[in-house]
Amino acid sequence: MAQRLIVIGGDAAGMSAASQARRRRGRDDLEIVVFERGHFTSYSACGIPYWISGLVPDPEALIARDPEVFCREHAMDVRMRHEVTTIDLERREVVAQNLEDGGEVRERFDDLMYATGAVPVKPPWAVTDAHGVFGMQTLDDGAALRDWLDADPQPRRAVVIGGGYIGVEIAEAMIQRGLSVTLVEAGEQPMSTVDSDMGELVADAMRGLGITIRGSLPVTGLEEHNGRVSAVVTEEGSIPADVVVLGLGVRPNTALAEAAGLPLGPTGAIRVDRRMRVPGLPGIWAAGDCVETLHRVSGLPVHVPLGTHANKQGRVAGINIGGEYATFTGVIGTAVTKVCDLEVGRTGLRERDAKAAGFEFVSVIAESTNRAGYYPGSRPMTVKLIAERPSGRLLGAQIVGWSEAAKRIDTLAVALWNGMTVDDMTQLDLGYAPPYAPVWDPVLIAARKAVDALAALDR
Amino acid sequence: MAQRLIVIGGDAAGMSAASQARRRRGRDDLEIVVFERGHFTSYSACGIPYWISGLVPDPEALIARDPEVFCREHAMDVRMRHEVTTIDLERREVVAQNLEDGGEVRERFDDLMYATGAVPVKPPWAVTDAHGVFGMQTLDDGAALRDWLDADPQPRRAVVIGGGYIGVEIAEAMIQRGLSVTLVEAGEQPMSTVDSDMGELVADAMRGLGITIRGSLPVTGLEEHNGRVSAVVTEEGSIPADVVVLGLGVRPNTALAEAAGLPLGPTGAIRVDRRMRVPGLPGIWAAGDCVETLHRVSGLPVHVPLGTHANKQGRVAGINIGGEYATFTGVIGTAVTKVCDLEVGRTGLRERDAKAAGFEFVSVIAESTNRAGYYPGSRPMTVKLIAERPSGRLLGAQIVGWSEAAKRIDTLAVALWNGMTVDDMTQLDLGYAPPYAPVWDPVLIAARKAVDALAALDR
């Protein structure tokens, strides 16, 4: 009799695992059953802001795979709109509810892949029946917001709560749709994924777009009028709003796992080993936004919900379920985004992370340009490096710039991944031509500046 | 009495060395005399094609430094239009001729920095008094070509001989100025700095611009009429030409060094150690386009004339002359360019280099896109990886793509620099957001494909 793999959650991690397992074990060897409570498998949540803005006209484009076609090709039994309600580790069974008709099914498993993703953070004050308040995680969320923006009376005043990636991207999308937009952030400023000196460049760009930024301002409630949201209440008074978007981040979706007794780590996400196995529970796997992973620089467990990790982790799990060997060796916190034309990249530790992890370090900020100064379209690029003292090992890097800036963080990410020192980095053989860099690449200029800063401390 | 540093050649390497030495040793400790035979110190030769095309309107923009201001600030004695004609290692003197008035000066040195750069390759058939034939190395070359293109009768038919970076860039510049352009290349195709499968993508793009490419066609002579060039003679007949640009590459400018007894290496360039010292000759230094350097992947000496190396090597020499310690640890052959909007990047070994160096390897080509497929402006990107077998160590990489492609070679260059295997690379934490990459970055897709190719050979 074939063994059976049950996958809970049919998005990036789950589907990657399923397809990698199938690649290595045929249908006679391994049955694969996927339960997905939503309407889609594997859509790009990161693309939703661009659909809201209208840049991506069709939500269909955000859906990576047609589940029926995909499953037929991979000989998988995918049950859409089925939510797993119980995991019975003793009997090695799950119970799933059909969300369309309410029916229940019970299925046995040999291997179980837990890939339930993350759920939006929603404080008590955000729980409301008022219309006009939106999360921004699923395509359904996006569709609901779009409908609201197009409805009569048309909303004019938007308040975005939370200045992380999604909050910033949605704020920009709303401006592009012609609304007046206020972004409210409990911390000092939006884009706290970079240090405040770099974040200030982003905040300036957002203000330049016409976005009103209210920093250090915790939200305490929502006001409504006739069943519609009318204002966001803060410690410093109310901000009128016809539409409110919650961008307060996500937390690992672990309710089902906790109930079943899967171990959680210090971040509140599920603990896994490098092969994506849940420790102590043979045949139980987890991957994606519901698990925690190793930060390679700090050595600490972190929860970094991001599609690129979910895909890699799912692939690793699937290779192992398939009988081969693969490990997921951790993350370094690389991320990129844009605010209008301003590009932002980061990797490794911020100053506050480096302090928290106990590192001694120097940080430098180098101003340069993306192209040779004389080449048309040359624009400023700011590179920040954080280097351990006295070793010179790169601990973190941030880039803010106006064109072809964000993805240059990858150069620094690979240097960081390999434990390079800033002194080593001054030697790097990077591509030079006037349309692409000054003769001293911005990365090299920053590395030289960090070397000088370290030397100055030694003297 | 102060010691004295004489620098021969006031471009990137020489001026970097001089300024780094000055930074560490004051004028009472070290006199610095720079002899430069040209009119400028430190201009961007790489920018000349963009001046020809008109993209860079003013040649002044290509000049990095005003020599007088720079030397006053750095307390250096820079003698423009002075050509050193003799180096006397016994007496530690140089003889230099003032090219303006013919006068000769003789100056002693304690340290000598040899930074004469490279000279264009010019076969016997290219030596001609006919007007309309141009090299493309100096600002004067660029000015002469611009004058000729603007003169009456206006040239209509251009032939570019040589399909390297300069040849390709000049061919594009000429097309943009409205000439009909033929590029003649002795090798199979232009842009032989990438493998032929990738080079074919570049050749296609050039044809798309309207450039006629004649490959595998050695040039044997030039024809002239009334003192003006009239045709380029090849083994397959003549190609009419009103203007001819020679883009046959450069060779190290070593005549003076050879006469003085400085050692040359197998590439024909000057041998130096990692501190940029000429072996066996204390106090004699060399850097830039006149020296050879270590290729970190092949382990072989190579001659790679490129401003980015010249700057780094000059800096290293200057730090050492200044009494501190620095080394130049070699190159990996990273280069980027563009043909119209098509971007090209390369690093490490091509297939032919890997074969010549005795490596066993696999190579893979992965097709992907620069952005998420659904994001506006998503364009194809082709990544080629060459990986050692069976170790999986990356040996070389090439990228061809339509937007934000070229500089991504840096990601691969840093991986190569650090000796990463393609298996390691599949784990890399690279920036992901829809405007910048698909969820599987093109680099990761290529690494996965290389892993699969290696595994297939093992089976």
Side-chain angles (χ1 to χ4, degrees):
Chain A
M1 196 171 90
Q3 287 202 303
R4 176 180 274 192
L5 167 65
I6 284 184
V7 178
I8 308 178
D11 202 345
M15 294 311 270
S16 293
S19 61
Q20 290 293 332
R22 170 58 74 229
R23 224 175 120 171
R24 288 162 178 82
R25 295 173 67 180
R27 59 198 309 172
D28 296 337
D29 178 27
L30 185 71
E31 282 176 37
I32 300 178
V33 181
V34 180
F35 291 107
E36 166 54 48
R37 70 177 176 185
H39 298 275
F40 311 103
T41 54
S42 300
Y43 63 92
S44 172
C46 302
I48 294 173
Y50 309 105
W51 176 39
I52 302 300
S53 72
L55 202 57
V56 174
D58 182 1
E60 293 288 318
L62 303 181
I63 300 167
R65 307 177 180 117
D66 177 320
E68 296 204 351
V69 172
F70 184 78
C71 296
R72 201 166 48 236
E73 284 172 356
H74 290 75
M76 295 171 193
D77 175 7
V78 176
R79 318 260 182 97
M80 301 303 297
R81 301 289 288 145
H82 276 70
E83 179 161 17
V84 173
T85 53
T86 307
I87 301 169
D88 186 334
L89 291 177
E90 289 279 314
R91 304 173 64 165
R92 295 189 91 76
E93 284 180 356
V94 299
V95 179
Q97 185 174 34
N98 182 331
L99 298 178
E100 300 291 342
D101 64 15
E104 253 187 22
V105 292
R106 184 176 285 269
E107 296 283 355
R108 67 159 190 94
F109 61 80
D110 297 288
D111 284 288
L112 178 73
M113 174 78 205
Y114 190 92
T116 55
V119 288
V121 170
K122 202 165 186 180
W125 57 256
V127 179
T128 174
D129 289 331
H131 292 291
V133 181
F134 302 89
M136 203 42 56
Q137 201 206 16
T138 64
L139 287 182
D140 290 341
D141 291 336
L145 174 58
R146 278 186 65 111
D147 288 347
W148 183 256
L149 294 177
D150 290 336
D152 196 33
Q154 212 162 12
R156 291 179 302 104
R157 298 164 303 180
V159 175
V160 177
I161 304 176
Y165 292 109
I166 292 289
V168 167
E169 288 160 6
I170 287 287
E172 182 189 345
M174 300 277 218
I175 278 281
Q176 285 170 352
R177 291 184 64 117
L179 284 85
S180 83
V181 178
T182 301
L183 187 143
V184 184
E185 163 63 40
E188 192 186 338
Q189 63 188 8
M191 198 59 71
S192 65
T193 56
V194 294
D195 285 320
S196 57
D197 42 14
M198 300 293 276
E200 194 51 35
L201 301 175
V202 182
D204 280 347
M206 293 178 71
R207 288 186 204 103
L209 287 175
I211 297 169
T212 301
I213 297 177
R214 304 285 303 271
S216 306
L217 189 61
V219 171
T220 55
L222 299 175
E223 283 175 6
E224 58 180 282
H225 183 72
N226 290 343
R228 299 168 63 97
V229 70
S230 61
V232 171
V233 185
T234 75
E235 292 181 351
E236 296 174 13
S238 291
I239 305 169
D242 308 317
V243 55
V244 171
V245 178
L246 305 172
L248 295 164
V250 296
R251 56 178 178 78
N253 184 5
T254 56
L256 183 62
E258 284 181 85
L262 272 60
L264 303 190
T267 67
I270 297 168
R271 283 177 53 211
V272 287
D273 69 11
R274 291 186 170 221
R275 295 182 73 180
M276 310 313 295
R277 296 180 290 209
V278 177
L281 297 174
I284 312 297
W285 310 77
D289 291 359
C290 59
V291 306
E292 64 180 30
T293 189
L294 173 75
H295 195 296
R296 293 169 63 103
V297 183
S298 70
L300 300 172
V302 285
H303 177 237
V304 185
L306 205 56
T308 181
H309 304 320
N311 270 291
K312 287 200 198 82
Q313 291 171 346
R315 175 173 172 268
V316 165
I319 291 172
N320 288 314
I321 294 168
E324 296 186 18
Y325 179 86
T327 61
F328 183 79
T329 60
V331 303
I332 56 175
T334 311
V336 291
T337 190
K338 68 198 276 292
V339 181
C340 211
D341 289 338
L342 187 70
E343 306 190 357
V344 185
R346 57 147 288 164
T347 190
L349 306 182
R350 295 165 298 185
E351 290 196 32
R352 81 193 75 156
D353 307 318
K355 266 184 208 130
F359 287 106
E360 290 276 324
F361 60 89
V362 298
S363 74
V364 295
I365 289 184
E367 302 291 347
S368 180
T369 54
N370 58 340
R371 304 176 179 186
Y374 58 79
Y375 196 89
S378 179
R379 301 292 303 271
M381 185 180 302
T382 306
V383 178
K384 176 171 185 167
L385 298 186
I386 298 165
E388 187 182 25
R389 178 186 167 198
S391 72
R393 181 163 68 107
L394 185 66
L395 297 177
Q398 295 158 34
I399 298 180
V400 174
W402 287 97
S403 176
E404 302 201 26
K407 272 298 260 183
R408 301 201 186 199
I409 202 68
D410 288 351
T411 307
L412 291 158
V414 180
L416 183 66
W417 185 275
N418 286 285
M420 290 186 84
T421 67
V422 287
D423 195 48
D424 293 339
M425 287 168 59
T426 64
Q427 297 279 326
L428 281 171
D429 187 357
L430 305 179
Y432 163 62
Y436 301 116
V439 67
W440 282 103
D441 189 276
V443 166
L444 300 176
I445 292 173
R448 283 178 56 179
K449 196 162 177 179
V451 168
D452 289 346
L454 286 161
L457 288 173
D458 275 354
R459 276 196 282 270
Chain B
M1 195 172 88
Q3 286 201 303
R4 177 179 274 190
L5 166 66
I6 284 185
V7 178
I8 309 178
D11 203 346
M15 295 311 270
S16 293
S19 61
Q20 290 293 332
R22 171 58 74 229
R23 219 173 125 174
R24 288 163 178 81
R25 296 173 67 183
R27 58 198 309 174
D28 297 335
D29 178 26
L30 185 71
E31 282 177 37
I32 300 178
V33 182
V34 180
F35 291 108
E36 167 54 46
R37 70 177 176 184
H39 294 97
F40 311 103
T41 55
S42 300
Y43 63 91
S44 172
C46 302
I48 295 174
Y50 309 106
W51 177 38
I52 302 299
S53 72
L55 201 58
V56 175
D58 182 359
E60 293 289 318
L62 303 182
I63 301 168
R65 306 176 180 119
D66 178 319
E68 297 202 353
V69 173
F70 184 77
C71 295
R72 203 168 46 238
E73 283 173 357
H74 289 77
M76 294 171 193
D77 176 7
V78 176
R79 318 260 181 96
M80 301 302 297
R81 300 290 288 148
H82 276 70
E83 178 161 17
V84 174
T85 53
T86 307
I87 301 170
D88 186 334
L89 291 179
E90 288 281 311
R91 304 174 63 168
R92 295 189 91 76
E93 285 180 357
V94 299
V95 180
Q97 186 175 34
N98 181 330
L99 297 178
E100 300 292 342
D101 64 14
E104 253 188 23
V105 292
R106 183 176 286 268
E107 297 283 358
R108 69 159 189 94
F109 61 80
D110 298 289
D111 284 287
L112 179 73
M113 174 77 206
Y114 191 93
T116 55
V119 287
V121 170
K122 202 165 185 180
W125 57 256
V127 179
T128 174
D129 289 332
H131 293 292
V133 181
F134 301 90
M136 203 43 53
Q137 201 206 15
T138 65
L139 287 182
D140 290 342
D141 291 337
L145 173 58
R146 278 186 65 111
D147 288 347
W148 182 256
L149 294 177
D150 289 336
D152 193 37
Q154 212 163 11
R156 292 180 301 106
R157 299 163 303 179
V159 175
V160 177
I161 305 176
Y165 292 110
I166 292 289
V168 167
E169 286 159 8
I170 287 288
E172 182 189 346
M174 301 278 219
I175 278 281
Q176 284 170 351
R177 290 185 65 116
L179 285 84
S180 84
V181 179
T182 301
L183 188 143
V184 184
E185 163 64 40
E188 191 187 340
Q189 65 188 8
M191 199 57 71
S192 65
T193 55
V194 294
D195 286 318
S196 57
D197 42 14
M198 300 294 274
E200 195 51 35
L201 301 175
V202 183
D204 280 346
M206 294 178 70
R207 288 186 204 103
L209 288 175
I211 297 169
T212 300
I213 296 176
R214 303 284 303 272
S216 308
L217 188 61
V219 170
T220 56
L222 300 175
E223 284 174 5
E224 57 179 282
H225 182 71
N226 291 341
R228 300 167 63 96
V229 72
S230 61
V232 171
V233 185
T234 74
E235 291 181 351
E236 295 174 13
S238 292
I239 305 169
D242 308 318
V243 55
V244 171
V245 178
L246 304 173
L248 296 163
V250 295
R251 56 179 178 76
N253 184 5
T254 56
L256 184 61
E258 282 181 86
L262 272 62
L264 304 190
T267 68
I270 297 168
R271 284 176 51 211
V272 287
D273 69 12
R274 291 188 169 220
R275 294 182 74 179
M276 309 313 293
R277 296 180 291 210
V278 177
L281 298 174
I284 312 297
W285 311 77
D289 291 359
C290 59
V291 307
E292 65 181 30
T293 190
L294 173 75
H295 196 294
R296 294 169 62 104
V297 185
S298 70
L300 300 172
V302 285
H303 178 237
V304 184
L306 205 57
T308 180
H309 304 322
N311 270 293
K312 286 198 198 86
Q313 291 171 347
R315 174 174 173 268
V316 165
I319 292 172
N320 288 312
I321 294 168
E324 296 185 16
Y325 179 87
T327 60
F328 183 79
T329 59
V331 302
I332 55 174
T334 311
V336 291
T337 191
K338 67 197 276 292
V339 181
C340 213
D341 289 338
L342 187 70
E343 305 189 357
V344 185
R346 55 148 289 162
T347 190
L349 306 181
R350 296 165 296 186
E351 288 196 33
R352 82 192 78 154
D353 308 318
K355 265 183 207 131
F359 287 105
E360 290 275 325
F361 60 88
V362 296
S363 74
V364 294
I365 289 183
E367 303 291 347
S368 180
T369 54
N370 57 340
R371 304 175 178 186
Y374 58 80
Y375 195 88
S378 178
R379 301 291 304 272
M381 185 179 301
T382 306
V383 178
K384 175 170 185 167
L385 298 185
I386 298 166
E388 187 182 25
R389 180 185 167 199
S391 72
R393 180 165 67 109
L394 185 65
L395 297 177
Q398 296 157 35
I399 298 181
V400 174
W402 288 97
S403 175
E404 302 202 24
K407 273 297 262 182
R408 301 203 185 198
I409 201 70
D410 288 351
T411 307
L412 291 157
V414 181
L416 182 66
W417 184 277
N418 286 286
M420 291 187 82
T421 66
V422 288
D423 196 47
D424 292 340
M425 289 168 58
T426 62
Q427 297 278 326
L428 281 171
D429 186 357
L430 305 179
Y432 163 62
Y436 301 117
V439 67
W440 282 103
D441 188 275
V443 165
L444 301 176
I445 293 173
R448 284 177 57 179
K449 197 162 176 180
V451 168
D452 289 346
L454 285 161
L457 287 173
D458 274 355
R459 274 198 284 269

